Amino acid sequence: LETVPPRGERTVSMSIGSVRIPRTVVRRGAAAVVVAGCATALLVGVGEVQRAAAQTTAVALDSAAPFAVLASGSVSGSGTSSITGDVGGNAVSGLNNQVNGTITTSGNTLTQARTDMNEADDTVASAAVTQEISSVSGTLTSGVYGLTGSVTVSGTVTLDAGGDENATFIFKTDSTLTTADGAVVRLTNGARACNVYWLAGNNATVDGTVVGTIFGRNGITARNGADVTGRLFSRSGAVSLDATTIRRPGCDGSTTNT
């Protein structure tokens, strides 16, 4: 007998070659993510993996979203920076008249934002890797990229969404992350800065022109006039800014470039 799914749910069945994926009950609204994920998992080892046009991973920032810079420790500035978005830390110094947003150093708003930042960090850290790479270079399509050891991004890197504005790009290492002076991370074919995430299990050092939310767990240093369309988040350390431009991204398409 075939089980009839409860109201509000539907059954999905698919076959690929001689491999038949059993019927799975999925809730509407989550079908695309669940089915695509299951299909990819079941196809590993059966031959060529059929990838969707774009990978999507939901990372909810919630109350941390308004922040351009958010740290467990302090946030300090030297030189003249320009920050569009809120700034939060247990102390903020050296950024007078350089923040187009709210500076928060205590209270429930900061506590909740840090909680949501940590949960987003956990989501990125636990996202299943779709491809292991040795370096971040050239043109890359959406996906979750795993790296080992210290990572340095240099030259021009292009993130290509393939026309899907919801495509996400995640780069993560358990060590340090550095974007070198002169590095340029650019977006094309509908890619948006709000859907790009970088995770360093240790410290992150930011130079050059970068897009996306950067999680530097043990601290972040942005220097040499770095230009960031994204966010700098540190769950266990401080954030130091030296003549840095940071623009908190929206998801209205305004951060897309070619």
Side-chain angles (χ1 to χ4, degrees):
L1 291 177
E2 183 174 293
T3 303
V4 177
R7 200 171 185 181
E9 301 178 344
R10 61 193 178 99
T11 58
V12 177
S13 178
M14 60 176 77
S15 60
I16 301 164
S18 61
V19 179
R20 183 171 182 80
I21 300 174
R23 290 175 179 261
T24 305
V25 177
V26 295
R27 292 191 178 278
R28 289 176 181 160
V33 175
V34 173
V35 173
C38 291
T40 300
L42 289 172
L43 283 168
V44 173
V46 179
E48 183 178 357
V49 175
Q50 301 297 316
R51 295 188 181 276
Q55 297 282 339
T56 58
T57 301
V59 180
L61 297 177
D62 296 330
S63 66
F67 287 84
V69 181
L70 183 59
S72 171
S74 63
V75 178
S76 61
S78 59
T80 301
S81 294
S82 175
I83 302 171
T84 302
D86 295 347
V87 175
N90 59 19
V92 176
S93 62
L95 294 175
N96 292 340
N97 301 316
Q98 298 172 44
V99 178
N100 181 13
T102 301
I103 295 176
T104 305
T105 58
S106 63
N108 293 335
T109 296
L110 180 60
T111 299
Q112 186 59 54
R114 283 169 166 165
T115 297
D116 292 338
M117 169 183 69
N118 293 346
E119 291 181 357
D121 179 299
D122 290 339
T123 297
V124 172
S126 63
V129 172
T130 59
Q131 186 174 347
E132 294 282 355
I133 56 177
S134 58
S135 64
V136 181
S137 60
T139 298
L140 298 169
T141 57
S142 58
V144 181
Y145 293 91
L147 297 111
T148 301
S150 297
V151 175
T152 298
V153 180
S154 59
T156 298
V157 177
T158 301
L159 306 182
D160 186 345
D164 185 347
E165 65 178 15
N166 294 315
T168 54
F169 302 79
I170 292 177
F171 303 90
K172 56 182 180 176
T173 177
D174 58 2
S175 186
T176 60
L177 169 69
T178 300
T179 58
D181 190 17
V184 176
V185 180
R186 60 191 295 271
L187 305 169
T188 192
N189 287 335
R192 299 190 291 180
C194 63
N195 291 327
V196 179
Y197 304 93
W198 307 80
L199 173 64
N202 201 317
N203 299 314
T205 301
V206 183
D207 289 342
T209 301
V210 187
V211 297
T213 296
I214 299 173
F215 295 93
R217 285 189 165 178
N218 289 347
I220 300 175
T221 299
R223 61 190 186 185
N224 300 331
D227 187 300
V228 181
T229 301
R231 300 176 175 87
L232 304 181
F233 285 174
S234 181
R235 70 183 298 164
S236 301
V239 175
S240 174
L241 309 174
D242 177 12
T244 303
T245 298
I246 307 173
R247 293 172 295 275
R248 183 196 65 220
C251 250
D252 58 2
S254 61
T255 57
T256 298
N257 58 65
T258 56

